[in-house]
């Protein structure tokens, strides 16, 4: 029997819990908050009044001041060595050695502590509050309010705190804040440390000194798992140096809708690419020992189906068949669980009419039972409250709390009041939820805190502070940005440019650090104070082009904002006097719901600028800096060269200019299909029927550029695609035999270059309509002129299986086709079908 102490039934002693001014719709997600004032005599804030706030970035975009002092990095700009390992070899290596901890006797220590806890202390562990609940609000950076902190920790036993209040902190301030929180926790009866969490999604983006990397979409475009692992490791070190042990990353949502505003946070539209790059990030963050100072607990996001909303808008319903859910959205999570992912954050939306936060079928049966996940399950922002206010599946918050806990959540990101504590304590006392259910969640929370070493050192990482923002970190960021840049078109070898050409630079993203980084950059939306925190000396695209071409040969005219003309006639005149025009278009900064679109089409002002510059007859290099593939109608046709940079981070300006001028050979490949039109598009792994056209042909959904596409300044030739067995039995596959595939690639050009070798498989006939092809393996090779390399890939049972009509994996006999570049080979499977998972 556990001890009990009287609980507080009122919030009257916590009048500092103030409702927040709603600046964005309540559908938005995990971010920083800023409490608003409230009359002391007013009643406590209700759940419906609570939402997060954040400074939205300007719809017109924001540019940097002119005539800044900037410099380019020189010397070794590829500190991460090339690794031609097969993508499956990367997955197998990480899964074979799951993350653990050197902290001993975990279960004994957890059970001992749990047995001493009161009900209130247990429920408090399951509550996560945002930093604004314990901080003063009148200054920036916000200091801790000792009175608020003491009440939250001692009276409500809070288990976790998250995020900033308004914008990124310095390392010193972070350590001051987190140390104050942990010192107060050490004054409690059981001295249980607080688990502090943060969203560090492209570097430690809430730590001012940290280097920022490309957003995930750009990182995926590198197709370089070794680079992703290093990015994850640097991010984790910088987060730990800030005193924070828990990171809400990586995103494992498969980005299959170009309209979705969180597409830039994903690792592309393909499950295998997402799995490979996501596991690399995960291993970089967690390492092999959670308790080691440079590592953090990572969080798989967002289980499951979040990116599959029917409307393409954030947090709107998804209607996903079980076959599609298992075929497209589940695959990245399963190996991440096997690799020891410490926690998972839940999809804020609904799948097939059931909010995932209320779905026992997904959170307990699938996540716990089927995948065997034993870590911590945390809600997203306000999502228990939203079962009442948004999804309308619960009549009140008490009912919603019961629903979510019974579904399988361990921790509620409440985050701006203590309602969860009140409701859950009452539910247990009234016999509606057994205390054993609370024990199960608290055991997982305590286990993670022990595994991280927080009981031994609640604020580790001080020895890491001097490493944050190092020169090497910048070089890794530059390498990642360079390798992400994707050459989509290069008519008549317009690129690379020469440094004696007269160049016009125009367009809304040409001189914008905001565009290079997008949201989750110093602030949630990438606006507000973020503009003040970009590191000195980092060049925009314009500034880097000036460094390459010389200030006297480079002219800059904005031409347009993101949505409106801006000195467009001057830009046209300048184009007439230039040898080449770099037209930089795309998007500004946004996050989550604020990025919802009315149309996927690029705004008219930008398309007009492109058309009019091209109409002068001056050759046009179109540079796209954007978080998703915006369609352009026919405006792109006149561009002789097209380069996309996604959101390459603060080193992106130099990376782009290095590629445009040939200092770097582009090696990025699209992690998504670039659609030709804003509607009626199809992804690369579409069904054959999706290509039907109005003329009854098969070009009805042809893309502008296909998934995996990417050019180079050198040439590669593929040869000798061979398969070890032209015929294999399903029985052999069942016993573990492999189909060995081999292909040779040669650099036939006159300069060194990197290419991504991509192996696709097509099942010619199946009982569930097959995709026209599926990515099964890839490897990135780095070849000198004339150099040849032979790649070997091994395909197993899982590679030829699909999710069958009964929603379980099945392998059927038949013909299969393999494709690498323009080469084809095939094999035949004979025997009886295999059903069920291979493991």
């Amino acid at each position: 029997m556990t001890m009990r102490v009287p609980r507080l039934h009122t919030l009257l002693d916590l009048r500092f819990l103030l409702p927040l001014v709603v600046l964005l719709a309540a559908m938005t997600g995990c971010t920083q908050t800023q409490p608003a004032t409230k009359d002391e005599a007013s009643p406590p804030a209700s759940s419906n009044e609570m939402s997060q706030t954040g400074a939205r970035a300007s719809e017109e975009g924001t540019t940097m001041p002119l005539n800044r002092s900037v410099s380019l990095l020189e010397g070794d700009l590829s500190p991460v060595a090339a690794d031609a390992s097969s993508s499956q070899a990367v997955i197998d290596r990480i899964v074979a050695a799951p993350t653990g901890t050197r902290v001993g006797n975990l279960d004994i220590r957890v059970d001992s502590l749990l047995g001493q806890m009161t009900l209130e202390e247990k429920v408090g562990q399951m509550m996560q509050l945002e930093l604004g609940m314990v901080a003063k609000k009148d200054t920036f950076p916000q200091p801790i309010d000792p009175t608020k902190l003491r009440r939250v920790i001692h009276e409500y036993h809070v288990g976790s705190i998250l995020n900033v209040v308004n914008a990124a902190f310095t390392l010193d301030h972070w350590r001051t804040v987190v140390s104050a929180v942990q010192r107060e926790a050490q004054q409690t009866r059981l001295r249980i440390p607080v688990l502090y969490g943060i969203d560090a999604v492209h570097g430690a983006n809430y730590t001012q000194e940290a280097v920022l990397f490309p957003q995930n979409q750009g990182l995926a475009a590198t197709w370089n798992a070794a680079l992703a692992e290093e990015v994850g490791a640097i991010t984790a070190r910088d987060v730990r140096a800030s005193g924070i042990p828990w990171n809400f990353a990586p995103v494992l949502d498969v980005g299959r809708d170009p309209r979705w505003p969180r597409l830039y946070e994903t690792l592309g539209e393909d499950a295998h690419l997402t799995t490979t790059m996501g596991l690399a990030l995960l291993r970089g963050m967690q390492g092999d020992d959670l308790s080691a100072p440079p590592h953090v607990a990572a969080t798989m996001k967002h289980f499951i189906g979040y990116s599959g909303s029917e409307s393409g808008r954030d947090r709107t319903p998804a209607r996903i068949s079980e076959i599609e859910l298992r075929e497209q959205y589940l695959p990245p999570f399963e190996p991440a669980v096997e690799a020891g992912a410490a926690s998972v954050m839940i999809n804020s939306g609904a799948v097939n009419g059931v909010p995932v936060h209320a779905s026992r079928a997904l959170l307990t049966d699938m996540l716990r039972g089927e995948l065997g996940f034993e870590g911590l399950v945390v809600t997203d922002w306000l999502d228990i409250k939203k079962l009442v206010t948004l999804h309308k599946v619960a009549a009140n918050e008490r009912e919603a709390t019961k629903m979510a806990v019974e579904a399988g959540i361990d921790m509620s990101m409440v985050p701006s009041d203590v309602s969860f504590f009140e409701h859950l304590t009452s539910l247990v006392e009234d016999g509606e939820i057994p205390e054993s259910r609370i024990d199960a969640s608290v055991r997982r929370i305590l286990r993670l805190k022990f595994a991280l070493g927080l009981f031994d050192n609640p604020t580790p990482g001080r020895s890491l502070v001097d490493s944050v923002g190092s020169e090497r970190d910048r070089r890794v960021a530059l390498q990642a940005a360079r390798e992400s840049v994707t050459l989509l078109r290069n008519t008549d070898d317009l690129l690379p440019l020469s440094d004696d050409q007269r160049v016009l630079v125009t367009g809304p993203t040409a001189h914008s650090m905001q565009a290079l980084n997008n949201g989750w950059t110093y602030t949630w939306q990438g606006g507000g104070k973020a503009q003040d925190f970009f590191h000195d000396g980092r060049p925009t695209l314009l500034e880097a082009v000036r460094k390459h071409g010389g200030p006297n040969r480079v002219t800059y005219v904005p031409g347009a904002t993101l949505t409106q003309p801006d000195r467009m006639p001057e830009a046209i005149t300048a184009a007439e006097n230039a040898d080449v025009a770099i037209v930089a278009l795309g998007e500004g900064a946004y996050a989550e719901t604020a990025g919802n679109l009315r149309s996927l089409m690029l705004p008219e002002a930008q398309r007009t600028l492109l058309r009019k510059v091209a109409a002068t007859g001056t050759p046009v290099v179109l540079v796209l800096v954007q978080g998703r593939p915006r369609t352009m109608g026919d405006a792109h046709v006149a561009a002789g060269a097209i380069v996309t940079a996604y959101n390459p981070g603060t080193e992106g300006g130099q990376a782009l200019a290095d590629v445009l001028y040939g200092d770097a050979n582009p090696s990025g490949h699209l992690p998504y299909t670039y659609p030709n039109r804003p509607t009626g598009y199809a992804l690369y792994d579409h069904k054959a029927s999706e290509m039907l056209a109005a003329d009854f042909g098969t070009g009805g959904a042809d893309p502008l550029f296909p998934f995996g596409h990417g050019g180079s300044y050198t040439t590669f030739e593929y040869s000798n695609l061979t398969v070890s067995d032209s015929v294999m039995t399903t029985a052999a596959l069942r016993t573990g035999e492999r189909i060995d595939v081999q292909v040779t690639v040669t650099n036939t050009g006159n300069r060194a270059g990197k290419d991504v070798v991509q192996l696709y498989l097509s099942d010619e006939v199946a009982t569930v309509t097959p995709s026209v092809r599926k990515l099964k393996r890839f490897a990135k090779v780095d070849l000198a002129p004339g150099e040849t390399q032979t790649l070997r890939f091994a395909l197993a049972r899982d590679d030829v299986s699909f999710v069958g009509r009964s929603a379980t994996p099945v392998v059927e006999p038949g013909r299969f086709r393999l494709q690498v570049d323009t080469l084809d080979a095939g094999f035949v499977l004979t025997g009886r079908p295999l059903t069920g998972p291979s493991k």
Side-chain angles (χ1 to χ4, degrees):
M1 179 176 296
T2 59
M3 297 180 293
R4 300 185 185 277
V5 296
R7 69 182 178 92
L8 301 179
H9 293 274
T10 177
L11 299 183
L12 292 178
D13 290 333
L14 290 179
R15 292 305 176 101
F16 62 93
L17 301 178
L18 304 174
L20 306 179
V21 177
V22 178
L23 299 184
L24 291 175
M27 285 79 79
T28 50
C30 177
T31 182
Q32 63 277 3
T33 60
Q34 176 61 59
T37 58
K38 188 177 181 72
D39 183 4
E40 188 69 21
S42 301
S46 71
S47 300
N48 292 344
E49 291 179 279
M50 296 296 181
S51 182
Q52 70 275 37
T53 69
R56 290 187 63 169
S58 167
E59 292 185 359
E60 301 303 316
T62 303
T63 57
M64 301 299 288
L66 293 171
N67 301 316
R68 299 188 309 144
S69 176
V70 299
S71 61
L72 303 184
L73 282 172
E74 298 178 348
D76 179 14
L77 301 183
S78 296
V80 180
D83 181 359
S85 296
S86 159
S87 51
Q88 190 61 44
V90 173
I91 295 170
D92 292 344
R93 169 179 63 84
I94 294 171
V95 168
T99 300
T101 178
R102 288 189 174 87
V103 177
N105 301 315
L106 282 184
D107 292 333
I108 294 173
R109 296 173 75 178
V110 168
D111 289 342
S112 174
L113 182 57
L114 187 64
Q116 301 175 59
M117 296 175 71
T118 66
L119 172 63
E120 287 76 10
E121 287 168 332
K122 293 175 184 178
V123 172
Q125 286 297 305
M126 297 174 65
M127 181 171 63
Q128 185 178 62
L129 302 176
E130 47 92 4
L131 181 58
M133 290 283 288
V134 298
K136 297 179 179 179
K137 62 182 177 60
D138 296 329
T139 60
F140 179 85
Q142 292 81 4
I144 289 292
D145 184 315
T147 302
K148 293 179 180 180
L149 179 64
R150 197 158 41 247
R151 286 173 172 169
V152 163
I153 286 181
H154 290 270
E155 297 176 15
Y156 290 93
H157 317 288
V158 64
S160 180
I161 295 176
L162 79 155
N163 258 333
V164 295
V165 176
N166 185 266
F169 293 159
T170 64
L171 280 163
D172 284 346
H173 191 69
W174 266 126
R175 295 199 65 85
T176 298
V177 165
V178 178
S179 294
V181 169
Q182 301 294 16
R183 279 196 305 272
E184 194 62 49
Q186 291 299 300
Q187 304 304 311
T188 61
R189 184 175 70 91
L190 297 175
R191 301 166 61 89
I192 299 175
V194 170
L195 183 60
Y196 206 106
I198 198 74
D199 290 277
V201 298
H202 67 123
N205 42 264
Y206 284 131
T207 298
Q208 291 179 25
E209 295 90 342
V211 165
L212 299 183
F213 298 97
Q215 295 279 2
N216 277 353
Q217 186 181 89
L219 192 61
T222 70
W223 296 60
N224 187 334
L227 195 52
E229 190 166 342
E230 183 65 14
V231 167
I234 294 172
T235 300
R237 183 206 64 203
D238 291 356
V239 169
R240 269 283 178 141
S242 306
I244 300 171
W246 188 17
N247 188 21
F248 304 136
V251 169
L252 298 181
D253 302 305
V254 182
R256 296 184 61 79
D257 192 324
R259 300 169 298 173
W260 198 48
R262 302 193 75 166
L263 192 75
Y264 68 85
E265 297 182 55
T266 75
L267 292 159
E269 73 182 47
D270 175 75
H272 182 68
L273 177 60
T274 297
T275 299
T276 306
M277 301 297 282
L279 282 186
L281 281 168
L282 180 74
R283 176 47 53 89
M285 291 177 190
Q286 293 196 159
D288 58 3
D289 175 17
L290 280 181
S291 68
H295 300 147
V296 295
T299 307
M300 307 177 289
K301 297 196 310 190
H302 304 79
F303 193 83
I304 185 176
Y306 183 28
S307 55
S309 67
E310 193 170 41
S311 70
R313 300 194 306 274
D314 184 42
R315 286 171 167 79
T316 54
R319 292 175 177 84
I320 306 172
S321 72
E322 188 170 3
I323 289 177
E324 184 180 6
L325 189 76
R326 292 178 176 276
E327 191 82 49
Q328 303 291 5
Y329 297 96
L330 186 61
F333 289 95
E334 184 172 6
V337 169
E338 294 179 42
S343 63
V344 64
M345 187 179 290
I346 304 307
N347 169 12
S348 295
V351 174
N352 300 329
V354 180
V356 180
H357 281 80
S359 174
R360 183 175 177 82
L362 293 177
L363 299 188
T364 296
D365 298 343
M366 179 179 282
L367 179 61
R368 297 284 189 202
E370 185 176 332
L371 299 191
F373 180 64
E374 298 178 351
L376 189 159
V377 175
V378 63
T379 77
D380 207 336
W381 192 273
L382 280 171
D383 276 334
I384 289 181
K385 296 175 184 292
K386 289 176 186 175
L387 296 177
V388 181
T389 62
L390 182 64
H391 297 295
K392 308 294 184 181
V393 295
N396 53 59
E397 195 173 327
R398 188 178 192 274
E399 182 182 333
T401 301
K402 180 180 180 182
M403 190 179 293
V405 171
E406 289 181 337
I409 71 100
D410 294 319
M411 181 178 286
S412 172
M413 191 184 292
V414 188
S416 302
D417 63 26
V418 294
S419 56
F420 177 83
F421 179 94
E422 295 286 326
H423 293 309
L424 186 53
T425 307
S426 171
L427 285 163
V428 176
E429 290 185 340
D430 292 348
E432 296 187 49
I433 292 180
E435 191 167 347
S436 59
R437 170 65 189 89
I438 306 304
D439 290 348
S441 286
V442 176
R443 181 173 282 108
R444 288 187 278 263
I445 295 167
L446 294 177
R447 183 179 178 86
L448 180 55
K449 291 182 178 185
F450 274 115
L452 284 163
L454 298 183
F455 281 88
D456 301 316
N457 182 2
T459 318
R462 183 169 296 279
S463 63
L464 306 172
V465 168
D466 291 342
S467 299
V468 177
S470 70
E471 185 80 0
R472 183 182 183 277
D473 292 357
R474 283 194 63 188
R475 293 176 186 277
V476 174
L478 179 58
Q479 180 183 353
R482 280 174 144 198
E483 290 197 30
S484 74
V485 173
T486 306
L487 180 63
L488 299 177
R489 178 189 297 162
N490 194 20
T491 306
D492 298 327
D493 292 330
L494 177 56
L495 293 176
L497 304 176
S498 63
D499 57 14
D500 60 353
Q501 289 177 296
R502 295 170 301 159
V503 178
L504 166 68
V505 179
T506 186
T509 63
H511 192 43
S512 173
M513 276 292 180
Q514 193 176 84
L516 291 175
N517 287 276
N518 212 321
W520 300 106
T521 301
Y522 304 127
T523 67
W524 170 46
Q525 291 290 324
K529 289 181 177 294
Q531 193 72 6
D532 301 330
F533 295 154
F534 291 116
H535 295 180
D536 292 340
R538 308 300 203 270
T540 62
L541 169 61
L542 165 66
E543 292 165 330
V545 167
R546 281 179 169 163
K547 286 291 183 181
H548 276 277
N552 295 330
R553 286 188 292 273
V554 177
T555 301
Y556 170 63
V557 183
T561 68
L562 293 174
T563 64
Q564 299 295 328
D566 183 6
R567 297 165 56 191
M568 192 176 294
E570 292 180 47
I572 307 310
T573 300
E576 293 170 345
N577 296 309
D579 296 320
V580 64
I582 298 172
V583 182
L585 307 181
E587 297 183 316
Y590 55 87
E592 305 187 22
T593 307
N596 285 347
L597 289 174
R598 291 191 177 95
S599 170
L600 190 59
M601 189 73 79
L602 201 65
E604 177 61 32
Q606 296 191 53
R607 288 181 282 135
T608 298
L609 176 65
L610 177 59
R611 290 192 188 97
K612 288 189 174 182
V613 169
T616 66
T618 297
V620 170
V621 177
L622 172 59
V623 174
L624 297 168
V625 182
Q626 54 191 9
R628 55 199 150 188
R630 302 295 292 269
T631 56
M632 296 172 279
D634 62 358
H636 70 89
V637 173
I642 303 178
V643 167
T644 186
Y646 317 95
N647 299 117
T650 48
E651 305 298 337
Q654 177 173 349
L656 270 166
D658 286 351
V659 168
L660 296 181
Y661 279 88
D663 284 10
N665 195 349
S667 65
H669 287 67
L670 285 174
Y672 53 61
T673 301
Y674 204 119
N676 201 23
R677 58 186 69 86
T679 59
Y681 43 77
L683 303 182
Y684 93 94
D685 55 351
H686 57 270
K687 312 294 186 178
S689 60
E690 292 182 73
M691 299 304 289
L692 292 176
D695 62 0
F696 302 101
T698 57
D702 285 341
L704 183 59
F705 301 105
F707 171 83
H709 174 68
S712 173
Y713 296 150
T714 190
T715 54
F716 297 96
E717 181 178 291
Y718 287 81
S719 61
N720 301 323
L721 177 62
T722 61
V723 182
S724 60
D725 298 277
S726 59
V727 178
M728 179 171 279
T729 66
T730 55
L733 286 177
R734 186 178 59 238
T735 61
E737 288 195 34
R738 305 293 181 98
I739 300 167
D740 294 322
V741 182
Q742 184 171 295
V743 67
T744 298
V745 57
T746 302
N747 182 347
T748 55
N750 58 9
R751 64 178 293 171
K754 298 175 182 176
D755 200 22
V756 178
V757 182
Q758 304 165 45
L759 174 65
Y760 294 89
L761 181 139
S762 302
D763 188 348
E764 294 189 359
V765 178
T767 52
V768 172
T769 53
S771 298
V772 294
R773 62 177 189 162
K774 294 284 289 184
L775 179 71
K776 292 299 177 180
R777 298 288 186 274
F778 67 87
K780 192 162 192 176
V781 296
D782 187 357
L783 300 177
E787 185 178 1
T788 294
Q789 187 168 349
T790 297
L791 284 299
R792 294 173 176 82
F793 304 111
L795 300 179
R797 171 178 171 172
D798 288 344
D799 296 303
V800 294
S801 73
F802 61 91
V803 179
R805 296 183 183 184
S806 62
T808 59
V810 59
V811 176
E812 294 178 344
R815 294 184 179 275
F816 294 81
R817 184 169 57 87
L818 296 169
Q819 179 185 11
V820 178
D821 195 57
T822 60
L823 305 178
D824 284 278
F827 62 92
V828 176
L829 280 183
T830 62
R832 299 189 177 200
L834 306 176
T835 58
S838 60
K839 298 178 182 178

